[in-house]
Amino acid sequence: MAIKEDDRTSNQLTLNTTILAIDSSTFICSVALMKQNEIIAEYSLSLPNIHDFVLAELVRRILADCEITVEEIDALAISSGPGSFTGLRIGASIAKGICFDNKIKLLPIETLFSVAYAAKKIANLFKAKRILVAIPSYKDLMYTQFFSTNAEPLSKVEIQTETQVETGILPNDLVCGSPNNNFSKGINVGKYFFPSARFVAISGLDMFHQGKYIPAENFIPKYFQEFIPKLIKK
């Protein structure tokens, strides 16, 4: 079959695209680099309350280790929420600093969508009817959203208890997002599809070629709930 000229152009753009991705929406602080349609590196730290100390250093380190300069980055994909208020704010600040002159395109990627997008293939492999993404929120609550097996939103983001979440799960739902849930229903692959910079990069590549980037100064994370300050125990 002959390849159209516009297909060649699209494929060439994909191969030449370098994307830096950041996910600071949960307790895991992660950055990833995608080049030539492949994840070439991902650095993650699963430690609480470290985002403000290590995120900028993780970005510097991954670029240095992969011998990629900031000028070589085409786009920065950033998890835009829902998630940790503090984590999202820190991620947004660093992303805006890197994309301040808009030469590097800023791609806001909704956290739950990035997980659903990454789970598309396995959803079809298991012949699932829907993808449910459920990630930890505050205390015993979870952010949840249903998607089609093509990662198209079927519902709005909700904040629910685990009991409420399980009530809505059907036997052929693919459940992603939380490695620690105890759902007895659905096809549970949560521990394999927890939010990460890798998934933000994968979905970000598609968003980049669709032109779904915004001016850095316009980026505001989607918190979905009011900030609840925490007291630090001495």
Side-chain angles (χ1 to χ4, degrees), residues 3-52:
I3 300 176
K4 296 179 182 179
E5 188 61 37
D6 56 348
D7 289 338
R8 290 197 190 94
T9 303
S10 177
N11 290 337
Q12 193 63 32
L13 282 171
T14 298
L15 289 174
N16 290 336
T17 301
T18 299
I19 291 180
L20 171 66
I22 294 173
D23 193 326
S24 56
S25 62
T26 68
F27 59 87
I28 296 177
C29 182
S30 66
V31 299
L33 264 176
M34 171 177 272
K35 188 174 183 180
Q36 296 184 347
N37 206 26
E38 297 287 342
I39 301 294
I40 60 172
E42 181 180 26
Y43 295 170
S44 299
L45 288 175
S46 178
L47 294 169
N49 306 317
I50 61 166
H51 295 57
D52 52 341

Side-chain angles (χ1 to χ4, degrees), residues 18 32-35 39-43 59-69 72:
T18 299
L33 264 176
M34 171 177 272
K35 188 174 183 180
I39 301 294
I40 60 172
E42 181 180 26
Y43 295 170
V59 171
R60 186 201 67 79
R61 183 64 181 268
I62 200 169
L63 292 176
D65 289 351
C66 294
E67 298 183 339
I68 291 176
T69 65
E72 294 177 90

Side-chain angles (χ1 to χ4, degrees), residues 23-189:
D23 193 326
S24 56
S25 62
T26 68
F27 59 87
I28 296 177
C29 182
S30 66
V31 299
L33 264 176
M34 171 177 272
K35 188 174 183 180
Q36 296 184 347
N37 206 26
E38 297 287 342
I39 301 294
I40 60 172
E42 181 180 26
Y43 295 170
S44 299
L45 288 175
S46 178
L47 294 169
N49 306 317
I50 61 166
H51 295 57
D52 52 341
F53 299 110
V54 304
L55 185 53
E57 174 59 19
L58 285 180
V59 171
R60 186 201 67 79
R61 183 64 181 268
I62 200 169
L63 292 176
D65 289 351
C66 294
E67 298 183 339
I68 291 176
T69 65
V70 173
E71 290 75 19
E72 294 177 90
I73 299 172
D74 296 296
L76 189 153
I78 175 78
S79 55
S80 63
S84 159
F85 183 95
T86 303
L88 291 172
R89 179 177 56 80
I90 293 167
S93 298
I94 291 175
K96 285 186 173 186
I98 294 173
C99 302
F100 75 97
D101 59 1
N102 292 308
K103 290 181 180 178
I104 299 172
K105 305 302 182 184
L106 181 60
L107 297 161
I109 308 294
E110 292 187 8
T111 308
L112 304 183
F113 167 76
S114 70
V115 176
Y117 190 95
K120 288 192 301 179
K121 288 184 179 179
I122 196 168
N124 285 284
L125 180 66
F126 279 103
K127 297 182 179 179
K129 297 298 182 182
R130 300 183 300 180
I131 297 172
L132 168 63
V133 183
I135 67 171
S137 175
Y138 179 71
K139 290 187 176 179
D140 62 340
L141 299 176
M142 307 188 81
Y143 293 110
T144 66
Q145 189 173 16
F146 281 100
F147 297 84
S148 73
T149 53
N150 287 320
E152 298 161 337
L154 298 177
S155 68
K156 295 181 179 179
V157 175
E158 295 188 72
I159 302 175
Q160 300 177 305
T161 64
E162 281 197 19
T163 302
Q164 290 174 320
V165 176
E166 183 152 25
T167 300
I169 298 174
L170 299 177
N172 54 6
D173 287 337
L174 187 78
V175 184
C176 307
S178 178
N180 301 318
N181 65 48
N182 297 308
F183 302 135
S184 60
K185 297 181 182 178
I187 307 162
N188 199 326
V189 295

